């Protein structure tokens, strides 16, 4: 069984589309397309459940229509509406390749070179131009200039933050 620590959120299921079981998918990371994944995980009643992708097509930069295997009607697709969608870290491109999105780092621990551990990233806020990592009430800018190193195995992000940034 897959654990939540093994996946990160990449989007959310929307409403059904058409009569064949297609469903809207609003995504923040298209890693599933770039890695040609055959499945995605949805959280159903608190449990991560794999859903096999039958086909998909993009309708915009952050929206796609998905067809899951075995979901063949609008009624069946409607049952999935609102579910969060996750992707396994182990299938994500390696660190020396392009990092899929800032959302990949959700669940990583941030260590500042000067202050030590700041905690684990609870959420990635990309609602504005300046993407932020949220650790409780603390907001850290997600900026490449601040990143010193990334340890994917330990899920550790080492940063060099400007003095006083965490005091705000």
């Amino acid at each position: 069984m897959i654990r939540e620590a093994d996946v990160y959120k990449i989007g959310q299921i929307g409403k059904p589309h058409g009569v064949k079981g297609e469903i809207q998918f609003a995504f923040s990371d298209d890693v599933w397309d770039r890695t040609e994944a055959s499945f995605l995980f949805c959280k159903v009643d608190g449990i991560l459940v794999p859903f096999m992708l039958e086909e998909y097509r993009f309708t915009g930069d952050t929206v796609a229509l998905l067809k899951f295997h075995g979901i063949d009607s609008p009624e069946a697709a409607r049952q999935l509406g609102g579910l969060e969608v996750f992707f396994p870290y182990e299938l994500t491109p390696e660190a020396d390749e392009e990092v899929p999105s800032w959302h990949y780092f959700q669940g990583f621990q941030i260590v500042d070179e000067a202050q030590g551990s700041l905690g684990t990233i609870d959420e990635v806020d990309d609602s504005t131009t300046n993407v932020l990592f949220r650790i409780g009430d603390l907001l850290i800018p997600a900026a490449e200039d601040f990143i010193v190193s990334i340890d994917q195995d330990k899920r550790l992000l080492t940063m060099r933050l400007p003095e006083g940034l965490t005091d705000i």
Side-chain angles (χ1 to χ4, degrees):
M1 182 162 93
I2 193 153
R3 301 171 303 138
E4 280 196 51
D6 298 330
V7 297
Y8 66 104
K9 183 178 173 185
I10 62 168
Q12 186 165 2
I13 300 291
K15 61 184 181 176
H17 178 84
V19 296
K20 296 180 180 177
E22 281 187 314
I23 194 160
Q24 290 181 346
F25 173 46
F27 59 90
S28 57
D29 188 340
D30 67 351
V31 65
W32 49 279
D33 177 53
R34 291 182 287 115
T35 59
E36 298 183 17
S38 60
F39 62 91
L40 296 173
F41 287 96
C42 294
K43 190 183 273 187
V44 180
D45 296 330
I47 298 171
L48 291 167
V49 178
F51 284 84
M52 299 302 291
L53 282 166
E54 198 169 292
E55 60 183 39
Y56 61 88
R57 58 190 163 107
F58 292 94
T59 60
D61 290 341
T62 59
V63 179
L65 294 176
L66 302 180
K67 172 70 175 76
F68 288 127
H69 181 73
I71 306 296
D72 298 319
S73 70
E75 294 76 24
R78 193 170 292 109
Q79 297 296 313
L80 302 178
L83 294 180
E84 295 177 318
V85 179
F86 297 84
F87 194 79
Y89 283 109
E90 71 179 12
L91 298 181
T92 304
E94 295 299 323
D96 57 334
E97 298 177 24
E98 176 189 345
V99 174
S101 79
W102 291 114
H103 289 273
Y104 172 78
F105 294 106
Q106 187 168 330
F108 273 59
Q109 180 182 14
I110 291 183
V111 174
D112 178 55
E113 286 186 324
Q115 300 177 62
S117 178
L118 299 177
T120 301
I121 299 170
D122 301 317
E123 180 184 355
V124 177
D125 181 355
D126 63 355
S127 61
T128 64
T129 304
N130 298 317
V131 178
L132 299 169
F133 294 137
R134 180 180 300 278
I135 301 172
D137 292 333
L138 182 63
L139 297 173
I140 305 292
E144 289 182 35
D145 293 344
F146 296 157
I147 297 175
V148 176
S149 66
I150 301 168
D151 186 331
Q152 287 186 329
D153 294 333
K154 293 180 182 176
R155 297 183 56 206
L156 185 67
L157 186 62
T158 303
M159 300 182 83
R160 184 176 300 125
L161 299 174
E163 189 175 325
L165 180 75
T166 59
D167 298 333
I168 298 175

